[in-house]
Amino acid sequence: MELKEYLNINFPVLVLKPSLYYQWDIGIHFELGNEVYQLTSKKGQINLNRFEQVYSQVLSIFNDLFSLHDEIILVTNVYQYKTSKTRGLMLSYLFNPSQ
């Protein structure tokens, strides 16, 4: 089954545009790494502790929700400004087994 067909059958009123979250009456919101600030006090450097905590939390949630045999459709919205480097970066990390 192709992606468009799957979406039309399972989500007939869904419009792939920002923000998908607000198109539904029911949603789940997670606050991740909320006790650790994203920057350190040293010249605004990235606080790796926060990102490690968020990664751990996300991995835990993901493993609780999905099994190794689940098929997952990832929908992202990439905001592009003056360059299109982000799209190339995203494509290099995505794999579509149907292609």
Side-chain angles (χ1 to χ4, degrees):
M1 179 181 304
E2 293 293 320
L3 177 60
K4 286 184 181 180
E5 182 183 0
Y6 174 84
L7 291 174
N8 285 333
I9 291 169
N10 294 287
F11 306 99
V13 297
L14 177 68
V15 178
L16 292 178
K17 68 175 188 173
S19 162
L20 289 175
Y21 180 82
Y22 294 107
Q23 290 185 44
W24 299 98
D25 293 332
I26 299 172
I28 300 174
H29 177 86
F30 296 98
E31 290 191 26
L32 304 168
N34 58 339
E35 293 185 12
V36 182
Y37 190 64
Q38 63 193 6
L39 301 175
T40 66
S41 58
K42 298 179 183 178
K43 298 182 183 178
Q45 294 177 340
I46 293 175
N47 187 348
L48 291 180
N49 291 332
R50 177 185 172 104
F51 291 94
E52 289 171 0
Q53 180 182 5
V54 168
Y55 176 79
S56 176
Q57 291 171 328
V58 168
L59 190 59
S60 223
I61 293 166
F62 184 88
N63 288 331
D64 285 344
L65 293 176
F66 301 105
S67 75
L68 290 175
H69 303 289
D70 286 339
E71 184 175 346
I72 300 169
I73 298 171
L74 177 64
V75 178
T76 64
N77 184 48
V78 178
Y79 293 96
Q80 294 184 0
Y81 295 98
K82 294 182 181 181
T83 66
S84 61
K85 291 180 184 178
T86 306
R87 184 172 188 273
L89 177 68
M90 291 290 291
L91 290 175
S92 66
Y93 287 99
L94 298 179
F95 172 72
N96 185 350
S98 65
Q99 291 183 351

